[in-house]
Amino acid sequence: MKPHHTPYPLNALFLALTVFSCQPYAADIEPTPEMVVTATRVEREVFNTPQAVTLLDDLAVEQANAGTTPDILSGAEGVLIQKTNSGGGSPFIRGLTGKQVLILVDGVRVNNSYYRFGPHQYLNTIDPNLVERIEVVRGPTSVLYGSDALAGVINVITRKRADFSGARGADGLAVLHGASADASLAGRLQVEGNFNQLGYIGGISGKRFNSLEGGGEVGEQRPTAYDELGGDLKLNYRLGGGGELIFSQQYNRQFDVPKTSEVTLGDKLKFNYEPQLRALSYLEYQSRHDEAATISGMKLNISFNRQKEGEEIVKVSTPTVETREITEVKTLGVTTQFTSKLGRAQRLTYGFDYYRDRYNTSKSSIDLTTGATTSVMPGTPDGAKYESWGLYLQDEVRFSDRLEAILGARYAHFEADGAIGVNQLSLSDGELTSSINGLYRLAPHWNLVAGLAQGYRAPNMEDFFGRVDFVTEIPNTQLTPEHSLNKEIGIKYYSPRTSGDFYLFHTTYDDLIDRVTVTPGVTQRQNIQRALIKGAEVGVKHSFSDRWSATGNLTYTWGQDRDTQQPLRRIPPLNGSLHLRYAPDDHSWYEVYSLFADRQDRLSSGDLSDPRIPIGGTPGYGTLNFKAGFKPAKRQDLLVSLENLTDVQYKSHGSGIYAPGLNLAVTWRLALQ
């Protein structure tokens, strides 16, 4: 019989949360309420939003002192970052990741129809220098955003010019970031300003990541090194009457990104993503009118998203042969959003979205001794296309001063087409999704919230074709969407010195797609699995005084296959973070914090065969970390972090690499005028 144990960080968190309300507070000044857009597509206070929301504002993003965008989310409430490689960083929300979590940039889909099942690297293709804030909605959000939002949505909101106080303005910024554990160095040059009502912000970035040193006895991990270049430009023109026109261009190119676990734990001598490219352009019109108008708000967006991914693979069994596969997906997107007020107690948000993916693919086999190249059929056929569109309606209703509800519905349609040889294949289906979320004001500082929401994920091109070759795998033109039904209840608290939330969730999944053997040696993707995931999330922020503050969060997730009664694959263990902060003045701050997770030894058969998971399960851990911020001179900011002070050997559950050992990270910013 296993002895019962509770990780020491959990005890520390509960102790800290218990004493919070007993501390004196120096200044009883009502802070500005935090606002969120992603949960309802319109601006709303976090406290008065009946969904589970994690918000990282501009200050949290800037002071994260992170070298990559996934690292900004490290320790955030309800989010766990898994890393198969140093160039990865896949967010887990409520037990799911990969193509079951939707990623947005400024409300535009990053997910396309090629995203594969399981952890992936695409969040890391967003340059952290662009990020102003990150909003995470935990739980199904398919009504507003469509497919893939089974577990939740991560919306990365990028910076734009906000200061139009003068007719002319111009600023510059130079940023350097370095870290010792991977001997990385990153730099950025940025310009920002305005000509009357035209604002602009743009920059170029470069990064070099070397081999990562793990904690404890791990030492140098190879291959983990890669390089990255990026550039961006955003223009925003303020129109009369509250309107705004926005143009954004983002480009990110990563070079020779190794998929480390395939080499160190698998059967590959080489597995590089080369190239790894994301280029996004969009033009958006926003307007706000008098609330008495028929349409009080409008947003129109046209986007073009190009993602190109190459795989260069050499197997141990065939060391003189390298396969190179290129998959380029070009996505045209059109979204519309309208808002209408119906009296004083009702607001409608409604709209339409359309995305079309076009594929350019190729694959070749290269004899490394002779240089001879042979064409091979790629995983997704060249010229394939995938289209999806949806109509949605959301109704926010205030029944009384205490009771509010948000009701929503969406109808969506998708279709996929592609040819393998003379075989022209197609797949199409429709989906109706709905949700209801309610809020009841128990007391001035307490809100009771609850929700019932459906989610779906349409089978994408990777499900449909996968590695179809009509020999070892055959397509399935009868695939249907994956479905979820989420039930949750929670409490939100907000006062001048303390805010927090607590959620319980229970989600059932049907028609999950997995690969099955149909005849000996032949597989096919089918809707075969039913699952249950349930858990709890808690987060608290507290100010002891105008100098001292603390935050903490904890997430517990439990998953099970409803047919076999076996554990569900890749379920994260109990995990969280605890932060204590001291800010003596406007020019400096200091923070000590811990990231922790319990042991995960409740494993599925897939986990047991996964080389990334140690025999017996992933050990628990608790790290001790310190970071500080200073203003050493006028127009300068300096961030310093000492991470994993005790050099603990650890990794997130399912990760293919160990986290950094003792690590010094420094960011220096110089404002140019």
Side-chain angles (χ1 to χ4, degrees), residues 506-574:
H506 181 284
T507 313
T508 53
Y509 297 88
D510 292 284
D511 305 314
L512 294 178
I513 297 171
D514 202 357
R515 184 183 281 113
V516 298
T517 299
V518 291
T519 59
V522 180
T523 62
Q524 183 186 57
R525 307 289 179 99
Q526 296 181 6
N527 299 94
I528 62 165
Q529 191 177 27
R530 302 188 309 151
L532 165 66
I533 299 179
K534 59 184 179 180
E537 302 160 337
V538 59
V540 175
K541 301 178 182 178
H542 178 79
S543 295
F544 300 104
S545 69
D546 56 353
R547 295 184 178 183
W548 288 92
S549 62
T551 62
N553 66 76
L554 193 66
T555 300
Y556 171 75
T557 311
W558 185 91
Q560 181 172 280
D561 187 303
R562 289 159 55 200
D563 295 313
T564 66
Q565 306 304 308
Q566 296 299 308
L568 208 59
R569 191 177 183 188
R570 298 190 181 98
I571 294 297
L574 177 77

Side-chain angles (χ1 to χ4, degrees), residues 114 325 327 361 363 377-381 420 461 465-468:
Y114 182 66
E325 183 169 7
T327 303
T361 63
K363 187 176 182 179
M377 184 173 63
T380 303
I420 300 180
M461 201 67 81
F465 287 106
R467 299 297 178 184
V468 169

Side-chain angles (χ1 to χ4, degrees), residues 86-87 124 182-185 205-211 224-230 252-258 273-276:
S86 186
N124 193 37
D182 57 4
S184 61
L185 184 63
S205 302
K207 305 182 182 73
R208 167 158 289 185
F209 299 90
N210 293 293
S211 297
T224 49
Y226 69 98
D227 298 326
E228 180 178 324
L229 289 175
N252 185 273
R253 169 71 157 90
Q254 296 173 336
F255 300 85
D256 295 309
V257 184
Y273 292 114
E274 172 51 39
Q276 181 73 60

Side-chain angles (χ1 to χ4, degrees), residues 366-422:
I366 302 171
D367 188 319
L368 298 177
T369 58
T370 66
T373 300
T374 305
S375 294
V376 181
M377 184 173 63
T380 303
D382 185 39
K385 66 177 182 178
Y386 190 99
E387 293 185 340
S388 64
W389 60 265
L391 293 163
Y392 64 89
L393 171 66
Q394 174 184 264
D395 189 5
E396 300 171 77
V397 185
R398 188 173 71 250
F399 297 103
S400 68
D401 290 341
R402 288 195 166 191
L403 180 62
E404 294 183 27
I406 302 178
L407 300 90
R410 165 184 285 262
Y411 176 76
H413 179 82
F414 65 91
E415 57 183 82
D417 295 284
I420 300 180
V422 298

Side-chain angles (χ1 to χ4, degrees), residues 26 195 229 248 258 334 406 425-426 531 542 547 575 625 627:
F195 296 100
L229 289 175
S248 180
V334 179
I406 302 178
L425 304 174
S426 63
H542 178 79
R547 295 184 178 183
N575 67 90
N625 313 273
K627 62 181 176 181

Side-chain angles (χ1 to χ4, degrees), residues 586-633:
D586 293 336
H587 303 290
S588 62
W589 57 269
Y590 308 87
E591 185 173 294
V592 59
Y593 65 100
S594 175
L595 306 177
F596 54 86
D598 201 2
R599 178 183 181 85
Q600 180 56 290
D601 53 10
R602 188 175 182 272
L603 306 175
S604 70
S605 57
D607 293 332
L608 293 172
S609 61
D610 190 336
R612 293 171 295 186
I613 299 175
I615 297 175
T618 304
Y621 62 85
T623 67
L624 179 63
N625 313 273
F626 171 81
K627 62 181 176 181
F630 311 94
K631 292 185 179 296

Side-chain angles (χ1 to χ4, degrees), residues 282-606:
Y282 70 79
L283 180 65
E284 181 169 289
Y285 169 73
Q286 301 177 1
S287 69
R288 292 184 181 180
H289 305 289
D290 188 280
E291 291 189 351
T294 303
I295 297 178
S296 58
M298 178 189 303
K299 184 182 293 185
L300 309 174
N301 185 291
I302 300 175
S303 63
F304 182 75
N305 191 3
R306 175 176 170 240
Q307 298 188 55
K308 188 174 184 180
E309 179 179 308
E311 293 184 356
E312 298 180 345
I313 299 174
V314 178
K315 295 183 178 180
V316 172
S317 58
T318 54
T320 61
V321 177
E322 179 174 315
T323 59
R324 297 179 183 176
E325 183 169 7
I326 297 289
T327 303
E328 182 178 32
V329 185
K330 298 177 180 178
T331 304
L332 173 67
V334 179
T335 64
T336 67
Q337 177 182 319
F338 304 95
T339 305
S340 298
K341 290 279 288 186
L342 302 180
R344 300 179 59 185
Q346 194 170 6
R347 178 171 62 180
L348 298 179
T349 302
Y350 49 98
F352 168 83
D353 48 51
Y354 169 82
Y355 289 92
R356 183 189 69 190
D357 293 348
R358 297 282 185 175
Y359 282 78
N360 294 321
T361 63
S362 64
K363 187 176 182 179
S364 59
S365 176
I366 302 171
D367 188 319
L368 298 177
T369 58
T370 66
T373 300
T374 305
S375 294
V376 181
M377 184 173 63
T380 303
D382 185 39
K385 66 177 182 178
Y386 190 99
E387 293 185 340
S388 64
W389 60 265
L391 293 163
Y392 64 89
L393 171 66
Q394 174 184 264
D395 189 5
E396 300 171 77
V397 185
R398 188 173 71 250
F399 297 103
S400 68
D401 290 341
R402 288 195 166 191
L403 180 62
E404 294 183 27
I406 302 178
L407 300 90
R410 165 184 285 262
Y411 176 76
H413 179 82
F414 65 91
E415 57 183 82
D417 295 284
I420 300 180
V422 298
N423 298 283
Q424 183 69 38
L425 304 174
S426 63
L427 171 70
S428 65
D429 203 350
E431 187 70 19
L432 182 63
T433 310
S434 60
S435 65
I436 178 170
N437 293 279
L439 180 148
Y440 183 76
R441 294 179 175 84
L442 296 171
H445 299 295
W446 294 91
N447 282 343
L448 175 67
V449 294
L452 184 66
Q454 294 175 309
Y456 80 95
R457 188 188 70 81
N460 67 4
M461 201 67 81
E462 197 267 347
D463 298 309
F464 185 30
F465 287 106
R467 299 297 178 184
V468 169
D469 56 11
F470 289 96
V471 178
T472 61
E473 185 169 355
I474 58 176
N476 185 355
T477 59
Q478 304 302 312
L479 284 174
T480 61
E482 299 178 334
H483 300 95
S484 70
L485 178 62
N486 179 65
K487 294 168 280 187
E488 62 183 45
I489 187 169
I491 290 284
K492 290 190 174 186
Y493 179 82
Y494 179 82
S495 72
R497 63 170 176 164
T498 306
S499 63
D501 61 8
F502 173 73
Y503 272 88
L504 296 172
F505 63 90
H506 181 284
T507 313
T508 53
Y509 297 88
D510 292 284
D511 305 314
L512 294 178
I513 297 171
D514 202 357
R515 184 183 281 113
V516 298
T517 299
V518 291
T519 59
V522 180
T523 62
Q524 183 186 57
R525 307 289 179 99
Q526 296 181 6
N527 299 94
I528 62 165
Q529 191 177 27
R530 302 188 309 151
L532 165 66
I533 299 179
K534 59 184 179 180
E537 302 160 337
V538 59
V540 175
K541 301 178 182 178
H542 178 79
S543 295
F544 300 104
S545 69
D546 56 353
R547 295 184 178 183
W548 288 92
S549 62
T551 62
N553 66 76
L554 193 66
T555 300
Y556 171 75
T557 311
W558 185 91
Q560 181 172 280
D561 187 303
R562 289 159 55 200
D563 295 313
T564 66
Q565 306 304 308
Q566 296 299 308
L568 208 59
R569 191 177 183 188
R570 298 190 181 98
I571 294 297
L574 177 77
N575 67 90
S577 67
L578 185 62
H579 303 248
L580 180 64
R581 181 184 179 93
Y582 174 63
D585 50 49
D586 293 336
H587 303 290
S588 62
W589 57 269
Y590 308 87
E591 185 173 294
V592 59
Y593 65 100
S594 175
L595 306 177
F596 54 86
D598 201 2
R599 178 183 181 85
Q600 180 56 290
D601 53 10
R602 188 175 182 272
L603 306 175
S604 70
S605 57

